[in-house]
Each structure stands twice: as structure tokens, then as C-alpha cells.
Amino acid sequence: MDNYSNDNTARRYKAHVSILGTTQIHLRNPYIIAWWSVSFPGFGHLLLSKYIRGFLLLAWEVIINLKAHVNLAMIYSFQGNIPMAKEVLNTQWLLIYIPVYIFAIWDSYRTTVDLNNIYILSEREDHRINSFSMGALEINYLDKRNPFLAALWSFFMPGLGQLYIHRIITAFVVVVWSVIFFYYSHMLEGISLLFLGEIKHATEVLDPEWLLMFPSLYGFAIFDAYMNTVENNKLFEKEQRRFLMKNYQAKTFSITKGTKVL
């Protein structure tokens, strides 16, 4: 039986298409993944599709950050008010925050290196993957999409870019946290007042601790949507090439590009 499902006949698979999204491994820069964990613990793991670990670290970052007043201390530091920054920090929560923060950076780096090695081995094995998945709730399939459009939708609202490329789990988490951040930071209320010309009132309603979480969230949503669109397009081309070569190419015929045989 020769079908295109991941049927556990290979040691390693490059990708898996399910109704919740397309999960794949590909070469990544470990320093970039680690940097996203520096920006916001959990984001590095979400980029690697390590969802459970990423969700736990993300929730941990939000809760402990607020309890320790890390963002508030950063704001005072940016203003040059170092004594006040020291005053607002809660050292009891901060001592819990630091080890997990360092672990998130280290673990995302280590995992990226491991997955890069696994990807190289899976490329050599070149086992077939499923390219279409249908269930009672969703349909997902490999196709080519516009990475700039994915980034643009994420710019308008974090999570929409992930929905565009069918990363349902990541989209759900990003949208939920975006709504929470919007609500508690009063960002939309501040924007409304700004349009009305009430600049002072718009500044007063903002909650800086929650507001400071937006740069990382927006940056991650845009980067994740763009990067995964590009990689999904590459995966589509690889799967299409493999299918055509297997079913329509004679054994005596070879496709060459320069001196390299594909």
C-alpha cells in the first residue's frame, strides 16, 4: 500500500500535515531562536512547533513578569530613574523568574541544534509525507501562499497571519494573548482618545506594564507568519517535485541543474 500519510515506516519525517496545521522541521539559526526566547520566553519554542513547552513558558513569563514588576522596572530604567526601578522590583518573584528565563533561552538553542541535525538526516532519508488532511472540522493542504500577505495580516492583528497559513494552534494562542494584552493595557482606548486629540488623557489611561509586552508579541507574530509561509512554500515545492519525479519521470531521464542532479 503506497499512500502519502506518515505511517511510521520512516525513522524521521520532515513534515506532517494535519487539520490543525502543517508541522515541519527545517534548518534554523539557533541564535535567532534563542533571541526570540530572550525577547519573550516561549516564543522560541513556538517557532520550533514545540507548542506545549512554548505555552507553559509564555504563561509563566506573563504571570511572573507582572508579579516581579520586571516591565515596570525596565520603564523606569529607560527613563534613567534607577533608584525607582530597584524599588518596584519584587525580589521574591524575581529570583523565581531568572532561572526559568535562562532555561528558556538555553533550551530553545539546544533544541534548534538538535532539530537541525534531525532535518539533515530526514533529508537524506527523503521519506514521503502527507500533503492533504481532511477532518470533520477542518481541511488542510500544502500550497503556495504569499509571505508578505501573511506578515501584513499579522501587522493588523497578531494571529491573523497564522490563520492565513493554517497554523491553528499558534493562531489561537497569539489571538487570545493579544486580546488580553489589548484589554489590560488599554491600548485601543488610548488610540481612540489620541484620534480625538486628547493626548494627555490617552497617555494616562495606558498601563505601561501590559503595553510593554506588545513589541515582542507583534514582532513574533509577523516573523513567525512570514518565516513559516516561506518554509511551507519550500515544502510544497519539494513534495510536488518528489511526486512528479516518482510518477511521471522515466528512470532513464534525469533533470539536471548545472552539474548537480536533482
PDB file of all heavy atoms in Angstrom, residues 155-158 178-195 201-208 210-215 217-218:
ATOM      1  N   PHE A 155       0.425  42.102  11.083  1.00  0.00           N
ATOM      2  CA  PHE A 155       0.615  43.503  11.483  1.00  0.00           C
ATOM      3  C   PHE A 155      -0.718  44.123  11.892  1.00  0.00           C
ATOM      4  O   PHE A 155      -0.789  44.886  12.861  1.00  0.00           O
ATOM      5  CB  PHE A 155       1.240  44.289  10.331  1.00  0.00           C
ATOM      6  CG  PHE A 155       1.357  45.765  10.599  1.00  0.00           C
ATOM      7  CD1 PHE A 155       2.378  46.256  11.411  1.00  0.00           C
ATOM      8  CD2 PHE A 155       0.452  46.667  10.054  1.00  0.00           C
ATOM      9  CE1 PHE A 155       2.482  47.616  11.669  1.00  0.00           C
ATOM     10  CE2 PHE A 155       0.555  48.026  10.301  1.00  0.00           C
ATOM     11  CZ  PHE A 155       1.574  48.502  11.109  1.00  0.00           C
ATOM     12  N   PHE A 156      -1.780  43.812  11.167  1.00  0.00           N
ATOM     13  CA  PHE A 156      -3.099  44.343  11.509  1.00  0.00           C
ATOM     14  C   PHE A 156      -3.609  43.771  12.831  1.00  0.00           C
ATOM     15  O   PHE A 156      -4.169  44.492  13.656  1.00  0.00           O
ATOM     16  CB  PHE A 156      -4.096  44.035  10.395  1.00  0.00           C
ATOM     17  CG  PHE A 156      -3.883  44.837   9.149  1.00  0.00           C
ATOM     18  CD1 PHE A 156      -4.038  44.260   7.904  1.00  0.00           C
ATOM     19  CD2 PHE A 156      -3.518  46.174   9.222  1.00  0.00           C
ATOM     20  CE1 PHE A 156      -3.838  45.006   6.743  1.00  0.00           C
ATOM     21  CE2 PHE A 156      -3.312  46.925   8.076  1.00  0.00           C
ATOM     22  CZ  PHE A 156      -3.473  46.341   6.828  1.00  0.00           C
ATOM     23  N   MET A 157      -3.414  42.461  13.027  1.00  0.00           N
ATOM     24  CA  MET A 157      -3.842  41.806  14.257  1.00  0.00           C
ATOM     25  C   MET A 157      -3.009  40.548  14.447  1.00  0.00           C
ATOM     26  O   MET A 157      -3.049  39.649  13.611  1.00  0.00           O
ATOM     27  CB  MET A 157      -5.331  41.443  14.190  1.00  0.00           C
ATOM     28  CG  MET A 157      -5.823  40.631  15.380  1.00  0.00           C
ATOM     29  SD  MET A 157      -5.782  41.578  16.942  1.00  0.00           S
ATOM     30  CE  MET A 157      -6.197  40.298  18.126  1.00  0.00           C
ATOM     31  N   PRO A 158      -2.214  40.476  15.518  1.00  0.00           N
ATOM     32  CA  PRO A 158      -1.410  39.272  15.742  1.00  0.00           C
ATOM     33  C   PRO A 158      -2.270  38.016  15.762  1.00  0.00           C
ATOM     34  O   PRO A 158      -3.285  37.958  16.447  1.00  0.00           O
ATOM     35  CB  PRO A 158      -0.783  39.534  17.123  1.00  0.00           C
ATOM     36  CG  PRO A 158      -0.740  41.020  17.241  1.00  0.00           C
ATOM     37  CD  PRO A 158      -1.975  41.512  16.537  1.00  0.00           C
ATOM     38  N   SER A 178      -3.243  38.338  22.635  1.00  0.00           N
ATOM     39  CA  SER A 178      -3.388  39.693  22.094  1.00  0.00           C
ATOM     40  C   SER A 178      -4.603  40.390  22.696  1.00  0.00           C
ATOM     41  O   SER A 178      -4.534  41.570  23.082  1.00  0.00           O
ATOM     42  CB  SER A 178      -3.524  39.644  20.567  1.00  0.00           C
ATOM     43  OG  SER A 178      -2.356  39.151  19.957  1.00  0.00           O
ATOM     44  N   VAL A 179      -5.713  39.668  22.791  1.00  0.00           N
ATOM     45  CA  VAL A 179      -6.930  40.240  23.380  1.00  0.00           C
ATOM     46  C   VAL A 179      -6.684  40.611  24.846  1.00  0.00           C
ATOM     47  O   VAL A 179      -7.090  41.692  25.311  1.00  0.00           O
ATOM     48  CB  VAL A 179      -8.104  39.253  23.261  1.00  0.00           C
ATOM     49  CG1 VAL A 179      -9.313  39.753  24.050  1.00  0.00           C
ATOM     50  CG2 VAL A 179      -8.483  39.045  21.800  1.00  0.00           C
ATOM     51  N   ILE A 180      -5.991  39.736  25.577  1.00  0.00           N
ATOM     52  CA  ILE A 180      -5.683  40.020  26.982  1.00  0.00           C
ATOM     53  C   ILE A 180      -4.794  41.257  27.103  1.00  0.00           C
ATOM     54  O   ILE A 180      -5.044  42.139  27.932  1.00  0.00           O
ATOM     55  CB  ILE A 180      -4.997  38.793  27.635  1.00  0.00           C
ATOM     56  CG1 ILE A 180      -5.982  37.616  27.719  1.00  0.00           C
ATOM     57  CG2 ILE A 180      -4.480  39.142  29.028  1.00  0.00           C
ATOM     58  CD1 ILE A 180      -5.358  36.324  28.186  1.00  0.00           C
ATOM     59  N   PHE A 181      -3.770  41.331  26.258  1.00  0.00           N
ATOM     60  CA  PHE A 181      -2.863  42.484  26.297  1.00  0.00           C
ATOM     61  C   PHE A 181      -3.586  43.772  25.914  1.00  0.00           C
ATOM     62  O   PHE A 181      -3.369  44.822  26.531  1.00  0.00           O
ATOM     63  CB  PHE A 181      -1.679  42.258  25.355  1.00  0.00           C
ATOM     64  CG  PHE A 181      -0.734  41.168  25.802  1.00  0.00           C
ATOM     65  CD1 PHE A 181       0.273  40.716  24.963  1.00  0.00           C
ATOM     66  CD2 PHE A 181      -0.844  40.589  27.054  1.00  0.00           C
ATOM     67  CE1 PHE A 181       1.148  39.719  25.360  1.00  0.00           C
ATOM     68  CE2 PHE A 181       0.017  39.583  27.473  1.00  0.00           C
ATOM     69  CZ  PHE A 181       1.012  39.146  26.613  1.00  0.00           C
ATOM     70  N   PHE A 182      -4.434  43.697  24.881  1.00  0.00           N
ATOM     71  CA  PHE A 182      -5.193  44.890  24.471  1.00  0.00           C
ATOM     72  C   PHE A 182      -6.091  45.373  25.605  1.00  0.00           C
ATOM     73  O   PHE A 182      -6.201  46.582  25.854  1.00  0.00           O
ATOM     74  CB  PHE A 182      -6.045  44.571  23.242  1.00  0.00           C
ATOM     75  CG  PHE A 182      -5.324  44.728  21.935  1.00  0.00           C
ATOM     76  CD1 PHE A 182      -5.203  43.660  21.059  1.00  0.00           C
ATOM     77  CD2 PHE A 182      -4.778  45.949  21.566  1.00  0.00           C
ATOM     78  CE1 PHE A 182      -4.542  43.800  19.852  1.00  0.00           C
ATOM     79  CE2 PHE A 182      -4.112  46.106  20.360  1.00  0.00           C
ATOM     80  CZ  PHE A 182      -3.994  45.030  19.502  1.00  0.00           C
ATOM     81  N   TYR A 183      -6.736  44.427  26.279  1.00  0.00           N
ATOM     82  CA  TYR A 183      -7.697  44.796  27.326  1.00  0.00           C
ATOM     83  C   TYR A 183      -7.008  45.440  28.523  1.00  0.00           C
ATOM     84  O   TYR A 183      -7.415  46.512  28.993  1.00  0.00           O
ATOM     85  CB  TYR A 183      -8.472  43.554  27.774  1.00  0.00           C
ATOM     86  CG  TYR A 183      -9.487  43.833  28.858  1.00  0.00           C
ATOM     87  CD1 TYR A 183     -10.732  44.372  28.540  1.00  0.00           C
ATOM     88  CD2 TYR A 183      -9.195  43.572  30.201  1.00  0.00           C
ATOM     89  CE1 TYR A 183     -11.660  44.644  29.543  1.00  0.00           C
ATOM     90  CE2 TYR A 183     -10.114  43.844  31.201  1.00  0.00           C
ATOM     91  CZ  TYR A 183     -11.351  44.375  30.868  1.00  0.00           C
ATOM     92  OH  TYR A 183     -12.256  44.653  31.862  1.00  0.00           O
ATOM     93  N   TYR A 184      -5.971  44.790  29.035  1.00  0.00           N
ATOM     94  CA  TYR A 184      -5.342  45.280  30.261  1.00  0.00           C
ATOM     95  C   TYR A 184      -4.398  46.458  30.025  1.00  0.00           C
ATOM     96  O   TYR A 184      -4.130  47.222  30.955  1.00  0.00           O
ATOM     97  CB  TYR A 184      -4.599  44.143  30.960  1.00  0.00           C
ATOM     98  CG  TYR A 184      -5.526  43.179  31.665  1.00  0.00           C
ATOM     99  CD1 TYR A 184      -5.816  41.935  31.121  1.00  0.00           C
ATOM    100  CD2 TYR A 184      -6.136  43.533  32.867  1.00  0.00           C
ATOM    101  CE1 TYR A 184      -6.677  41.054  31.754  1.00  0.00           C
ATOM    102  CE2 TYR A 184      -6.997  42.664  33.519  1.00  0.00           C
ATOM    103  CZ  TYR A 184      -7.261  41.429  32.954  1.00  0.00           C
ATOM    104  OH  TYR A 184      -8.124  40.570  33.580  1.00  0.00           O
ATOM    105  N   SER A 185      -3.885  46.617  28.821  1.00  0.00           N
ATOM    106  CA  SER A 185      -3.023  47.769  28.533  1.00  0.00           C
ATOM    107  C   SER A 185      -3.831  49.015  28.180  1.00  0.00           C
ATOM    108  O   SER A 185      -3.289  50.122  28.185  1.00  0.00           O
ATOM    109  CB  SER A 185      -2.077  47.435  27.379  1.00  0.00           C
ATOM    110  OG  SER A 185      -2.788  47.315  26.159  1.00  0.00           O
ATOM    111  N   HIS A 186      -5.122  48.828  27.834  1.00  0.00           N
ATOM    112  CA  HIS A 186      -6.000  49.932  27.408  1.00  0.00           C
ATOM    113  C   HIS A 186      -5.452  50.607  26.142  1.00  0.00           C
ATOM    114  O   HIS A 186      -5.651  51.812  25.937  1.00  0.00           O
ATOM    115  CB  HIS A 186      -6.169  50.971  28.523  1.00  0.00           C
ATOM    116  CG  HIS A 186      -6.721  50.407  29.798  1.00  0.00           C
ATOM    117  ND1 HIS A 186      -8.041  50.068  29.953  1.00  0.00           N
ATOM    118  CD2 HIS A 186      -6.114  50.110  30.975  1.00  0.00           C
ATOM    119  CE1 HIS A 186      -8.234  49.586  31.176  1.00  0.00           C
ATOM    120  NE2 HIS A 186      -7.083  49.593  31.809  1.00  0.00           N
ATOM    121  N   MET A 187      -4.768  49.827  25.322  1.00  0.00           N
ATOM    122  CA  MET A 187      -4.129  50.383  24.136  1.00  0.00           C
ATOM    123  C   MET A 187      -5.148  50.941  23.144  1.00  0.00           C
ATOM    124  O   MET A 187      -4.978  52.042  22.609  1.00  0.00           O
ATOM    125  CB  MET A 187      -3.272  49.312  23.456  1.00  0.00           C
ATOM    126  CG  MET A 187      -2.522  49.787  22.228  1.00  0.00           C
ATOM    127  SD  MET A 187      -1.485  48.487  21.537  1.00  0.00           S
ATOM    128  CE  MET A 187      -0.845  49.326  20.081  1.00  0.00           C
ATOM    129  N   LEU A 188      -6.214  50.177  22.901  1.00  0.00           N
ATOM    130  CA  LEU A 188      -7.217  50.636  21.939  1.00  0.00           C
ATOM    131  C   LEU A 188      -7.947  51.874  22.446  1.00  0.00           C
ATOM    132  O   LEU A 188      -8.298  52.766  21.664  1.00  0.00           O
ATOM    133  CB  LEU A 188      -8.209  49.507  21.646  1.00  0.00           C
ATOM    134  CG  LEU A 188      -7.621  48.261  20.970  1.00  0.00           C
ATOM    135  CD1 LEU A 188      -8.703  47.231  20.723  1.00  0.00           C
ATOM    136  CD2 LEU A 188      -6.928  48.627  19.664  1.00  0.00           C
ATOM    137  N   GLU A 189      -8.158  51.920  23.763  1.00  0.00           N
ATOM    138  CA  GLU A 189      -8.785  53.108  24.355  1.00  0.00           C
ATOM    139  C   GLU A 189      -7.882  54.326  24.181  1.00  0.00           C
ATOM    140  O   GLU A 189      -8.341  55.429  23.858  1.00  0.00           O
ATOM    141  CB  GLU A 189      -9.048  52.871  25.840  1.00  0.00           C
ATOM    142  CG  GLU A 189      -9.808  54.000  26.520  1.00  0.00           C
ATOM    143  CD  GLU A 189     -10.046  53.723  27.994  1.00  0.00           C
ATOM    144  OE1 GLU A 189      -9.776  52.586  28.435  1.00  0.00           O
ATOM    145  OE2 GLU A 189     -10.501  54.645  28.704  1.00  0.00           O
ATOM    146  N   GLY A 190      -6.573  54.103  24.365  1.00  0.00           N
ATOM    147  CA  GLY A 190      -5.624  55.189  24.183  1.00  0.00           C
ATOM    148  C   GLY A 190      -5.566  55.677  22.748  1.00  0.00           C
ATOM    149  O   GLY A 190      -5.473  56.883  22.492  1.00  0.00           O
ATOM    150  N   ILE A 191      -5.660  54.739  21.790  1.00  0.00           N
ATOM    151  CA  ILE A 191      -5.653  55.113  20.372  1.00  0.00           C
ATOM    152  C   ILE A 191      -6.901  55.923  20.028  1.00  0.00           C
ATOM    153  O   ILE A 191      -6.833  56.915  19.283  1.00  0.00           O
ATOM    154  CB  ILE A 191      -5.548  53.853  19.487  1.00  0.00           C
ATOM    155  CG1 ILE A 191      -4.179  53.192  19.675  1.00  0.00           C
ATOM    156  CG2 ILE A 191      -5.757  54.200  18.015  1.00  0.00           C
ATOM    157  CD1 ILE A 191      -4.036  51.866  18.955  1.00  0.00           C
ATOM    158  N   SER A 192      -8.046  55.510  20.575  1.00  0.00           N
ATOM    159  CA  SER A 192      -9.295  56.242  20.327  1.00  0.00           C
ATOM    160  C   SER A 192      -9.206  57.677  20.842  1.00  0.00           C
ATOM    161  O   SER A 192      -9.613  58.626  20.162  1.00  0.00           O
ATOM    162  CB  SER A 192     -10.472  55.521  20.991  1.00  0.00           C
ATOM    163  OG  SER A 192     -10.618  54.204  20.481  1.00  0.00           O
ATOM    164  N   LEU A 193      -8.664  57.830  22.040  1.00  0.00           N
ATOM    165  CA  LEU A 193      -8.511  59.172  22.616  1.00  0.00           C
ATOM    166  C   LEU A 193      -7.491  60.003  21.826  1.00  0.00           C
ATOM    167  O   LEU A 193      -7.639  61.219  21.693  1.00  0.00           O
ATOM    168  CB  LEU A 193      -8.067  59.056  24.075  1.00  0.00           C
ATOM    169  CG  LEU A 193      -9.106  58.481  25.041  1.00  0.00           C
ATOM    170  CD1 LEU A 193      -8.482  58.193  26.398  1.00  0.00           C
ATOM    171  CD2 LEU A 193     -10.277  59.464  25.197  1.00  0.00           C
ATOM    172  N   LEU A 194      -6.478  59.317  21.299  1.00  0.00           N
ATOM    173  CA  LEU A 194      -5.471  60.024  20.503  1.00  0.00           C
ATOM    174  C   LEU A 194      -6.086  60.593  19.226  1.00  0.00           C
ATOM    175  O   LEU A 194      -5.783  61.719  18.819  1.00  0.00           O
ATOM    176  CB  LEU A 194      -4.335  59.063  20.153  1.00  0.00           C
ATOM    177  CG  LEU A 194      -3.121  59.663  19.433  1.00  0.00           C
ATOM    178  CD1 LEU A 194      -2.433  60.693  20.329  1.00  0.00           C
ATOM    179  CD2 LEU A 194      -2.145  58.557  19.039  1.00  0.00           C
ATOM    180  N   PHE A 195      -6.972  59.825  18.602  1.00  0.00           N
ATOM    181  CA  PHE A 195      -7.662  60.306  17.402  1.00  0.00           C
ATOM    182  C   PHE A 195      -8.565  61.501  17.717  1.00  0.00           C
ATOM    183  O   PHE A 195      -8.795  62.365  16.858  1.00  0.00           O
ATOM    184  CB  PHE A 195      -8.498  59.185  16.779  1.00  0.00           C
ATOM    185  CG  PHE A 195      -7.674  58.136  16.097  1.00  0.00           C
ATOM    186  CD1 PHE A 195      -8.156  56.844  15.960  1.00  0.00           C
ATOM    187  CD2 PHE A 195      -6.431  58.438  15.577  1.00  0.00           C
ATOM    188  CE1 PHE A 195      -7.398  55.869  15.315  1.00  0.00           C
ATOM    189  CE2 PHE A 195      -5.668  57.468  14.931  1.00  0.00           C
ATOM    190  CZ  PHE A 195      -6.148  56.185  14.801  1.00  0.00           C
ATOM    191  N   HIS A 201      -4.909  62.585  28.090  1.00  0.00           N
ATOM    192  CA  HIS A 201      -5.798  61.538  28.611  1.00  0.00           C
ATOM    193  C   HIS A 201      -5.438  60.181  28.017  1.00  0.00           C
ATOM    194  O   HIS A 201      -5.506  59.148  28.698  1.00  0.00           O
ATOM    195  CB  HIS A 201      -7.248  61.891  28.292  1.00  0.00           C
ATOM    196  CG  HIS A 201      -8.241  61.027  29.012  1.00  0.00           C
ATOM    197  ND1 HIS A 201      -9.574  60.986  28.677  1.00  0.00           N
ATOM    198  CD2 HIS A 201      -8.092  60.159  30.051  1.00  0.00           C
ATOM    199  CE1 HIS A 201     -10.187  60.138  29.464  1.00  0.00           C
ATOM    200  NE2 HIS A 201      -9.319  59.630  30.313  1.00  0.00           N
ATOM    201  N   ALA A 202      -5.056  60.170  26.755  1.00  0.00           N
ATOM    202  CA  ALA A 202      -4.670  58.921  26.096  1.00  0.00           C
ATOM    203  C   ALA A 202      -3.454  58.303  26.768  1.00  0.00           C
ATOM    204  O   ALA A 202      -3.362  57.075  26.926  1.00  0.00           O
ATOM    205  CB  ALA A 202      -4.380  59.175  24.615  1.00  0.00           C
ATOM    206  N   THR A 203      -2.518  59.144  27.185  1.00  0.00           N
ATOM    207  CA  THR A 203      -1.319  58.657  27.872  1.00  0.00           C
ATOM    208  C   THR A 203      -1.653  58.147  29.264  1.00  0.00           C
ATOM    209  O   THR A 203      -1.097  57.134  29.718  1.00  0.00           O
ATOM    210  CB  THR A 203      -0.274  59.786  27.979  1.00  0.00           C
ATOM    211  OG1 THR A 203      -0.006  60.310  26.681  1.00  0.00           O
ATOM    212  CG2 THR A 203       1.026  59.273  28.584  1.00  0.00           C
ATOM    213  N   GLU A 204      -2.564  58.811  29.934  1.00  0.00           N
ATOM    214  CA  GLU A 204      -2.903  58.452  31.315  1.00  0.00           C
ATOM    215  C   GLU A 204      -3.619  57.110  31.418  1.00  0.00           C
ATOM    216  O   GLU A 204      -3.464  56.401  32.415  1.00  0.00           O
ATOM    217  CB  GLU A 204      -3.773  59.552  31.931  1.00  0.00           C
ATOM    218  CG  GLU A 204      -3.029  60.859  32.175  1.00  0.00           C
ATOM    219  CD  GLU A 204      -3.949  61.962  32.655  1.00  0.00           C
ATOM    220  OE1 GLU A 204      -5.187  61.762  32.577  1.00  0.00           O
ATOM    221  OE2 GLU A 204      -3.454  63.015  33.087  1.00  0.00           O
ATOM    222  N   VAL A 205      -4.429  56.759  30.422  1.00  0.00           N
ATOM    223  CA  VAL A 205      -5.201  55.521  30.517  1.00  0.00           C
ATOM    224  C   VAL A 205      -4.349  54.283  30.252  1.00  0.00           C
ATOM    225  O   VAL A 205      -4.743  53.164  30.617  1.00  0.00           O
ATOM    226  CB  VAL A 205      -6.402  55.531  29.540  1.00  0.00           C
ATOM    227  CG1 VAL A 205      -7.348  56.654  29.861  1.00  0.00           C
ATOM    228  CG2 VAL A 205      -5.942  55.570  28.092  1.00  0.00           C
ATOM    229  N   LEU A 206      -3.185  54.452  29.642  1.00  0.00           N
ATOM    230  CA  LEU A 206      -2.354  53.311  29.286  1.00  0.00           C
ATOM    231  C   LEU A 206      -1.728  52.675  30.520  1.00  0.00           C
ATOM    232  O   LEU A 206      -1.307  53.359  31.451  1.00  0.00           O
ATOM    233  CB  LEU A 206      -1.247  53.734  28.318  1.00  0.00           C
ATOM    234  CG  LEU A 206      -1.685  54.215  26.934  1.00  0.00           C
ATOM    235  CD1 LEU A 206      -0.479  54.716  26.151  1.00  0.00           C
ATOM    236  CD2 LEU A 206      -2.381  53.088  26.164  1.00  0.00           C
ATOM    237  N   ASP A 207      -1.651  51.344  30.519  1.00  0.00           N
ATOM    238  CA  ASP A 207      -0.948  50.606  31.568  1.00  0.00           C
ATOM    239  C   ASP A 207       0.397  50.173  30.999  1.00  0.00           C
ATOM    240  O   ASP A 207       0.457  49.280  30.158  1.00  0.00           O
ATOM    241  CB  ASP A 207      -1.758  49.374  31.996  1.00  0.00           C
ATOM    242  CG  ASP A 207      -1.155  48.683  33.206  1.00  0.00           C
ATOM    243  OD1 ASP A 207       0.087  48.541  33.242  1.00  0.00           O
ATOM    244  OD2 ASP A 207      -1.904  48.265  34.106  1.00  0.00           O
ATOM    245  N   PRO A 208       1.496  50.796  31.422  1.00  0.00           N
ATOM    246  CA  PRO A 208       2.795  50.551  30.794  1.00  0.00           C
ATOM    247  C   PRO A 208       3.297  49.115  30.937  1.00  0.00           C
ATOM    248  O   PRO A 208       3.998  48.616  30.057  1.00  0.00           O
ATOM    249  CB  PRO A 208       3.727  51.544  31.501  1.00  0.00           C
ATOM    250  CG  PRO A 208       3.040  51.877  32.787  1.00  0.00           C
ATOM    251  CD  PRO A 208       1.576  51.795  32.487  1.00  0.00           C
ATOM    252  N   TRP A 210       1.609  46.263  30.872  1.00  0.00           N
ATOM    253  CA  TRP A 210       0.997  45.440  29.829  1.00  0.00           C
ATOM    254  C   TRP A 210       1.377  45.938  28.441  1.00  0.00           C
ATOM    255  O   TRP A 210       1.564  45.146  27.513  1.00  0.00           O
ATOM    256  CB  TRP A 210      -0.530  45.441  29.989  1.00  0.00           C
ATOM    257  CG  TRP A 210      -1.017  44.638  31.138  1.00  0.00           C
ATOM    258  CD1 TRP A 210      -1.313  45.093  32.389  1.00  0.00           C
ATOM    259  CD2 TRP A 210      -1.251  43.225  31.155  1.00  0.00           C
ATOM    260  NE1 TRP A 210      -1.733  44.057  33.185  1.00  0.00           N
ATOM    261  CE2 TRP A 210      -1.713  42.899  32.459  1.00  0.00           C
ATOM    262  CE3 TRP A 210      -1.138  42.215  30.208  1.00  0.00           C
ATOM    263  CZ2 TRP A 210      -2.036  41.601  32.828  1.00  0.00           C
ATOM    264  CZ3 TRP A 210      -1.465  40.917  30.566  1.00  0.00           C
ATOM    265  CH2 TRP A 210      -1.905  40.616  31.862  1.00  0.00           C
ATOM    266  N   LEU A 211       1.511  47.242  28.291  1.00  0.00           N
ATOM    267  CA  LEU A 211       1.815  47.811  26.986  1.00  0.00           C
ATOM    268  C   LEU A 211       3.187  47.375  26.484  1.00  0.00           C
ATOM    269  O   LEU A 211       3.386  47.182  25.279  1.00  0.00           O
ATOM    270  CB  LEU A 211       1.761  49.336  27.067  1.00  0.00           C
ATOM    271  CG  LEU A 211       1.822  50.107  25.738  1.00  0.00           C
ATOM    272  CD1 LEU A 211       0.583  49.811  24.890  1.00  0.00           C
ATOM    273  CD2 LEU A 211       1.935  51.602  25.996  1.00  0.00           C
ATOM    274  N   LEU A 212       4.124  47.184  27.398  1.00  0.00           N
ATOM    275  CA  LEU A 212       5.486  46.823  27.012  1.00  0.00           C
ATOM    276  C   LEU A 212       5.581  45.402  26.463  1.00  0.00           C
ATOM    277  O   LEU A 212       6.616  45.021  25.904  1.00  0.00           O
ATOM    278  CB  LEU A 212       6.425  46.980  28.216  1.00  0.00           C
ATOM    279  CG  LEU A 212       7.921  47.157  27.911  1.00  0.00           C
ATOM    280  CD1 LEU A 212       8.158  48.363  27.028  1.00  0.00           C
ATOM    281  CD2 LEU A 212       8.716  47.265  29.204  1.00  0.00           C
ATOM    282  N   MET A 213       4.540  44.617  26.597  1.00  0.00           N
ATOM    283  CA  MET A 213       4.550  43.261  26.055  1.00  0.00           C
ATOM    284  C   MET A 213       4.222  43.226  24.565  1.00  0.00           C
ATOM    285  O   MET A 213       4.440  42.216  23.888  1.00  0.00           O
ATOM    286  CB  MET A 213       3.556  42.384  26.818  1.00  0.00           C
ATOM    287  CG  MET A 213       3.930  42.184  28.281  1.00  0.00           C
ATOM    288  SD  MET A 213       2.779  41.096  29.146  1.00  0.00           S
ATOM    289  CE  MET A 213       3.467  41.117  30.802  1.00  0.00           C
ATOM    290  N   PHE A 214       3.672  44.318  24.038  1.00  0.00           N
ATOM    291  CA  PHE A 214       3.241  44.345  22.638  1.00  0.00           C
ATOM    292  C   PHE A 214       4.369  44.270  21.618  1.00  0.00           C
ATOM    293  O   PHE A 214       4.225  43.593  20.596  1.00  0.00           O
ATOM    294  CB  PHE A 214       2.371  45.572  22.370  1.00  0.00           C
ATOM    295  CG  PHE A 214       0.918  45.323  22.569  1.00  0.00           C
ATOM    296  CD1 PHE A 214       0.245  45.914  23.629  1.00  0.00           C
ATOM    297  CD2 PHE A 214       0.207  44.493  21.707  1.00  0.00           C
ATOM    298  CE1 PHE A 214      -1.110  45.674  23.828  1.00  0.00           C
ATOM    299  CE2 PHE A 214      -1.137  44.256  21.906  1.00  0.00           C
ATOM    300  CZ  PHE A 214      -1.803  44.841  22.963  1.00  0.00           C
ATOM    301  N   PRO A 215       5.504  44.970  21.799  1.00  0.00           N
ATOM    302  CA  PRO A 215       6.558  44.878  20.781  1.00  0.00           C
ATOM    303  C   PRO A 215       6.998  43.453  20.492  1.00  0.00           C
ATOM    304  O   PRO A 215       7.151  43.067  19.323  1.00  0.00           O
ATOM    305  CB  PRO A 215       7.691  45.715  21.392  1.00  0.00           C
ATOM    306  CG  PRO A 215       7.005  46.702  22.268  1.00  0.00           C
ATOM    307  CD  PRO A 215       5.841  45.964  22.847  1.00  0.00           C
ATOM    308  N   LEU A 217       5.251  40.660  21.106  1.00  0.00           N
ATOM    309  CA  LEU A 217       4.132  39.907  20.543  1.00  0.00           C
ATOM    310  C   LEU A 217       3.949  40.210  19.064  1.00  0.00           C
ATOM    311  O   LEU A 217       3.812  39.291  18.237  1.00  0.00           O
ATOM    312  CB  LEU A 217       2.849  40.224  21.312  1.00  0.00           C
ATOM    313  CG  LEU A 217       1.590  39.479  20.835  1.00  0.00           C
ATOM    314  CD1 LEU A 217       1.715  37.994  21.136  1.00  0.00           C
ATOM    315  CD2 LEU A 217       0.342  40.046  21.492  1.00  0.00           C
ATOM    316  N   TYR A 218       3.949  41.482  18.714  1.00  0.00           N
ATOM    317  CA  TYR A 218       3.786  41.874  17.307  1.00  0.00           C
ATOM    318  C   TYR A 218       4.954  41.377  16.459  1.00  0.00           C
ATOM    319  O   TYR A 218       4.775  40.861  15.352  1.00  0.00           O
ATOM    320  CB  TYR A 218       3.655  43.395  17.190  1.00  0.00           C
ATOM    321  CG  TYR A 218       2.234  43.872  17.049  1.00  0.00           C
ATOM    322  CD1 TYR A 218       1.511  44.314  18.147  1.00  0.00           C
ATOM    323  CD2 TYR A 218       1.609  43.864  15.810  1.00  0.00           C
ATOM    324  CE1 TYR A 218       0.197  44.753  18.026  1.00  0.00           C
ATOM    325  CE2 TYR A 218       0.300  44.306  15.672  1.00  0.00           C
ATOM    326  CZ  TYR A 218      -0.399  44.745  16.785  1.00  0.00           C
ATOM    327  OH  TYR A 218      -1.702  45.164  16.646  1.00  0.00           O
TER     328      TYR A 218
END
